[in-house]
Amino acid sequence: MATAVENFAGQPEVLDGALESQMTLSMGPQHPSTHGVLRLDLRLDGELVIKAIPDIGYLHTGMEKLFEYKKYQQGIVITDRMDYLNPLGNNLAYVMAAEKLLGLEIPERAQVIRVLMCELQRIASHMVWFGTSCLDMGAMTPFWFTFKEREKILNLIEAASGGRMTPSYFRIGGLMMDLPAGFDNRVRQFLDDFPDALNTFDTLITGNTIWHSRTKGVGIISKEDAIDWGLTGPSLRGSGVDLDLRKATPYSGYETYDFEVPVETDGDVWSRFKVRMHELTESYKIVRQALERLKPGPIKADAPKIVLPDRDDMRKHMDSLIHHFLIVAEGFNVPEGEVYHAIEASKGELGVYMKSNGGPKPERVHFRGPSFINLSALPVMAEGEMIADVVAIIGSLDIVLGEIDR
Amino acid sequence: MSVVADVIESTVAILKGMKRTLSEIPRHNWTVQYPDEPVTVQPRYRGQHLLHVDEAGKEKCVACYLCAAACPSDCIYIEAEDDARPYAERVGRDERYAKVYNIDYGRCIFCGFCVEACPKDAITHGYNFELSVYNRADLLKTKDDLLITKQVQSKNYRVALSSEDVDSEFKKIRTKGGEKTDR
Ligand code: SF4
Ligand code: SF4
C-alpha cells in the first residue's frame, strides 16, 4: 500500500511506491452525509482511505467570545445554539458552572426536573443520531420513525419551555418556570409508547443482517487509542472504557438514580451503535424514576440577589420588585474565580470552563465540546477503511458541527 | 453457499422491515399538511410578541427599559414619553408610555427574556411564527405591528389546549380555535 505523509504546508507527499491511482477527494462541506458543514480531505488509493483530515470552521460563529459581552443569565441562550440537538444539556453545563462559582444550592424539585428534561433530551438527541446514521448508510425508513419519537419529545420540551430547539429552560439558580400542569402525565404517555418504538428500531435495524455487515469490524479504535485521543461518551464506551460522568462525578443527584452504563468492547461502529441503543433504555429508566420523584416544591434557589423573584411576589412587594429590577438591569456579580464543570451530554463530556473577574459578565467561557474532540479521532478510525465506510464512521461518532465550530 | 445464505438473510431482513413499515399505513398520521392544515403549538410557545393593553384599551407598557436590558440580542428599541393627561385621554395606563417601541425580528431569537423581565406584564409572546418577509427592513416591527389590538391572528396555527395542559404564569391571552389537540 502506498503511504502518504503530510509535509509542513499540508501538502501530501507521496512516498515511494506511489500508485498512479492515488487521489485527493474533498468530501463535503456540501455532502449529504457529513451532518452539517464538515469537509473531509481524503487521500485515496482506489477505494482505500490512506489519510483522512477533517477540515472544520465553516460554521464558525464566535460564540465563546460572545459570552464575554453578555450577562451571566443572558449567556444561556447562546449555549442552546452550540450542540443544537442537545440544548438542555448545554444549558445545564453552563448554569451549573455558574452555580458552582456562586455557591448556589438548587432545590430538589429543580434538580429532578433538570434530570428529567436532560434525559428526555438525550433520547431526542440519540433519535437524531440513529435516524441520520441509518440515512447515511442508505436506510431511509428508520429516519421517519425516529423523528416521530423526537417530535413527541420536542412537543414536551416546547410545552415546558416554549422553545423546541432553543428551550433556554434552565436558569442560574433554578428553572425558567415550573412544569405545566399535567406534564408528568404527558411524559408517562410518551414513555408508555416508547418501548414500542424501540421494538421497531430493533426490527428495522438492530437485528438486520445488512446492517451488521455494514457496521461490524468497521472503524475500529482500540481502548488505548480511544483514551489517548480523549474520546468521551458512547464513542469511548464502545471501546470498552467504563466512564460515564453521571457515575464518575455525579451531579444533579444522578448518584441516586438506578441505571447502568452500557459498555461494549469491540470499538467498532457496531459497538458504538449498541452502546447508544442501550443508553436509550437507560435514559428511559431514569425518566421513569425522575417522574416518581416529582414532588411539589420550590424550583428556584433561595438567593434573592441572583434569582428572579416569584412573579406574584414581584407584583405585590416592593423589595421583590427592586430585586427584579436590579437583576434584570444590571445582572449579578459573580465572585472572582475560575471553575470547570463537566456533565455527560448525549455525545460525551461537555465541560464548561468559566472565569469570573467579579463583575456581572464572565471574563472567559470555554466549552470542551465532545463532538470536537471525538471528531479529532476520526482519522484513526477511517484510515485503512473503504471510502464507503467513512460515512458509517462519521455517523457512529454522532457529531454536531454547531458545537465543533464554536 | 454463503452467498446464497447472505441473499436469503438480507431478503428476510428487508421483508421484516417492510412489514413493519407497511403496518404504519393505517395508523395515526403524524405529519401536518401545513399550510392547508394549521400547526399545533403549545401554550407556552414563543412566537411574535404582543404588547398588551388594559380593559380600557390603554397600553400597559411604562417604558421602563427592562425588556431592552434583558434582551440578549439587543433588538428592542424604546423611546419613552411622559403623558400627564388624565387617564381617559392618555395613551398608556400609567403616566409614562413608550412612544416608540420597536423589535427587530432580524435579531430576535425568541428567548423569552423580555417577557420574563417585564414587571407590568405588558409584553408576552404570541403564537405567530409566520414572520418571513420579502424585504429585510420589514422585519423591524413597530408598536403598530405589535400591539395586541392591531395584530391579526393567523389561521395557520392553533394552540394545544386541554384541561390539564392549560398553564399560564404570565401568558394571559388565549387565541380562538382551542380544541383538544394533545397527542
Ligand atoms: S425574545 Fe429574546 S431576543 Fe427577542 S426581543 Fe425578547 S429578549 Fe430580545
Ligand atoms: S414592555 Fe415591559 S419591560 Fe419593556 S419597557 Fe414596557 S413595561 Fe418595561
Side-chain angles (χ1 to χ4, degrees):
Chain A
M1 191 212 304
T3 46
V5 290
E6 288 283 273
N7 71 14
F8 191 66
Q11 296 300 315
E13 254 175 32
V14 179
L15 298 184
D16 39 66
L19 295 173
E20 276 176 11
S21 61
Q22 195 177 79
M23 72 164 185
T24 305
L25 183 78
S26 261
M27 192 166 131
Q30 291 100 359
H31 188 280
S33 78
T34 47
H35 296 233
V37 274
L38 165 70
R39 176 172 162 261
L40 278 181
D41 199 347
L42 297 175
R43 305 282 150 73
L44 302 174
D45 174 5
E47 284 200 47
L48 211 61
V49 177
I50 295 171
K51 204 153 181 55
I53 305 160
D55 185 9
I56 59 171
Y58 292 92
L59 214 59
H60 184 70
T61 43
M63 284 182 195
E64 279 185 8
K65 185 73 184 163
L66 206 52
F67 282 103
E68 294 161 30
Y69 300 93
K70 301 285 165 214
K71 283 169 254 173
Y72 280 91
Q73 209 71 275
Q74 291 177 331
I76 296 168
V77 301
I78 310 172
T79 62
D80 279 342
R81 286 152 177 85
M82 295 196 306
D83 179 353
Y84 42 76
L85 298 180
N86 185 35
L88 286 169
N90 303 346
N91 288 175
L92 184 67
Y94 177 79
V95 299
M96 288 194 78
E99 281 159 7
K100 223 180 198 177
L101 271 177
L102 287 158
L104 286 185
E105 269 302 320
I106 307 303
E108 174 69 18
R109 182 176 168 85
Q111 302 262 29
V112 174
I113 294 178
R114 282 179 178 185
V115 169
L116 173 78
M117 298 305 278
C118 279
E119 292 305 319
L120 282 175
Q121 185 79 74
R122 188 188 310 275
I123 297 178
S125 168
H126 280 5
M127 286 289 100
V128 177
W129 153 79
F130 182 64
T132 52
S133 67
C134 295
L135 194 62
D136 288 351
M137 283 186 260
M140 203 165 193
T141 317
F143 185 77
W144 313 116
F145 287 102
T146 57
F147 268 60
K148 186 171 100 183
E149 296 309 309
R150 175 171 181 258
E151 176 69 20
K152 293 179 191 170
I153 298 177
L154 289 192
N155 277 345
L156 290 173
I157 293 174
E158 184 189 336
S161 69
R164 295 168 65 78
M165 298 280 282
T166 53
S168 306
Y169 186 47
F170 304 151
R171 292 285 186 275
I172 295 167
L175 304 172
M176 167 184 155
M177 10 172 177
D178 208 336
L179 294 174
F183 187 80
D184 47 344
N185 283 334
R186 297 181 64 180
V187 177
R188 276 201 191 95
Q189 199 183 333
F190 164 75
L191 291 177
D192 290 344
D193 297 342
F194 193 61
D196 188 37
L198 283 176
N199 268 338
T200 302
F201 305 149
D202 285 349
T203 317
L204 290 175
I205 292 295
T206 317
N208 189 323
T209 33
I210 308 173
W211 183 258
H212 295 170
S213 54
R214 279 304 304 269
T215 53
K216 279 184 185 165
V218 170
I220 295 177
I221 183 162
S222 67
K223 191 173 179 175
E224 291 71 31
D225 273 353
I227 294 171
D228 286 352
W229 282 89
L231 285 187
T232 45
S235 307
L236 176 70
R237 294 194 283 276
S239 288
V241 185
D242 184 2
L243 178 72
D244 187 320
L245 295 181
R246 288 173 295 175
K247 289 272 191 211
T249 54
Y251 52 91
S252 295
Y254 266 111
E255 66 275 16
T256 56
Y257 292 86
D258 171 29
F259 65 103
E260 286 163 32
V261 178
V263 178
E264 297 286 335
T265 46
D266 292 343
D268 55 1
V269 176
W270 174 240
S271 295
R272 293 190 279 276
F273 173 84
K274 275 197 290 186
V275 168
R276 287 206 176 84
M277 291 312 277
H278 195 163
E279 265 187 14
L280 287 174
T281 329
E282 298 306 319
S283 292
Y284 167 88
K285 281 198 323 213
I286 300 175
V287 176
R288 277 251 186 249
Q289 292 168 43
L291 275 179
E292 295 310 312
R293 294 181 193 192
L294 272 183
K295 299 271 152 21
I299 52 147
K300 286 174 181 174
D302 182 23
K305 289 202 158 53
I306 294 163
V307 180
L308 284 183
D310 185 63
R311 281 193 82 79
D312 270 340
D313 252 19
M314 184 264 290
R315 289 186 199 110
K316 289 187 201 121
H317 301 292
M318 198 56 194
D319 53 336
S320 293
L321 185 64
I322 292 170
H323 282 314
H324 182 91
F325 257 81
L326 283 177
I327 295 168
V328 174
E330 276 152 29
F332 43 81
N333 289 346
V334 171
E336 219 175 305
E338 40 192 288
V339 289
Y340 177 80
H341 183 78
I343 66 157
E344 183 76 23
S346 63
K347 295 167 182 69
E349 174 180 346
L350 177 70
V352 180
Y353 165 75
M354 192 182 276
K355 183 165 192 288
S356 165
N357 53 10
K361 294 174 183 172
E363 184 162 311
R364 175 87 170 96
V365 178
H366 171 71
F367 279 77
R368 182 237 185 257
S371 297
F372 177 65
I373 295 178
N374 290 357
L375 178 69
S376 69
L378 177 74
V380 184
M381 302 178 205
E383 280 163 21
E385 299 284 352
M386 302 298 242
I387 183 164
D389 292 332
V390 173
V391 291
I393 297 166
I394 298 176
S396 77
L397 282 175
D398 191 16
I399 50 167
V400 160
L401 266 290
E403 184 233 88
I404 291 170
D405 298 331
R406 291 179 302 279
Chain B
M1 242 15 240
S2 76
V3 177
V4 177
D6 267 4
V7 170
I8 292 172
E9 265 180 40
S10 308
T11 317
V12 169
I14 288 174
L15 288 178
K16 258 197 212 159
M18 212 56 207
K19 189 172 152 226
R20 178 67 190 88
T21 308
L22 292 177
S23 75
E24 197 66 16
I25 290 176
R27 291 198 195 187
H28 169 65
N29 207 351
W30 268 84
T31 45
V32 178
Q33 297 298 326
Y34 176 84
D36 296 338
E37 278 176 34
V39 174
T40 310
V41 296
Q42 305 294 331
R44 283 180 184 175
Y45 182 75
R46 302 194 293 248
Q48 188 186 4
H49 301 83
L50 298 165
L51 287 180
H52 288 264
V53 295
D54 67 0
E55 301 76 33
K58 308 287 176 192
E59 290 169 23
K60 284 187 181 175
C61 174
V62 292
C64 66
Y65 292 93
L66 270 196
C67 50
C71 179
S73 43
D74 298 333
C75 60
I76 303 182
Y77 177 79
I78 303 170
E79 273 177 27
E81 192 165 79
D82 288 328
D83 191 352
R85 289 177 293 175
Y87 177 77
E89 292 165 32
R90 282 201 299 251
V91 182
R93 188 170 58 176
D94 295 277
E95 286 178 3
R96 194 177 131 103
Y97 76 108
K99 194 172 66 165
V100 178
Y101 193 104
N102 295 346
I103 295 182
D104 181 354
Y105 282 100
R107 292 183 64 91
C108 176
I109 54 174
F110 301 95
C111 60
F113 278 34
C114 48
V115 179
E116 200 174 35
C118 181
K120 292 282 176 189
D121 299 324
I123 186 169
T124 67
H125 281 288
Y127 298 112
N128 183 22
F129 51 82
E130 292 170 326
L131 293 161
S132 39
V133 288
Y134 286 107
N135 184 343
R136 209 162 62 174
D138 293 344
L139 284 171
L140 189 81
K141 304 282 188 204
T142 59
K143 212 166 75 174
D144 258 355
D145 307 310
L146 296 169
L147 271 176
I148 188 165
T149 45
K150 306 254 171 80
Q151 280 200 24
V152 187
Q153 299 286 344
S154 158
K155 287 190 178 59
N156 281 335
Y157 63 85
R158 60 179 170 215
V159 185
L161 281 189
S162 64
S163 52
E164 75 270 17
D165 202 5
V166 183
D167 168 85
S168 151
E169 200 178 342
F170 38 78
K171 232 175 239 139
K172 289 282 182 274
I173 78 136
R174 281 282 170 268
T175 36
K176 48 204 169 306
E179 54 195 89
K180 188 175 159 113
T181 47
D182 197 11
R183 308 200 258 186

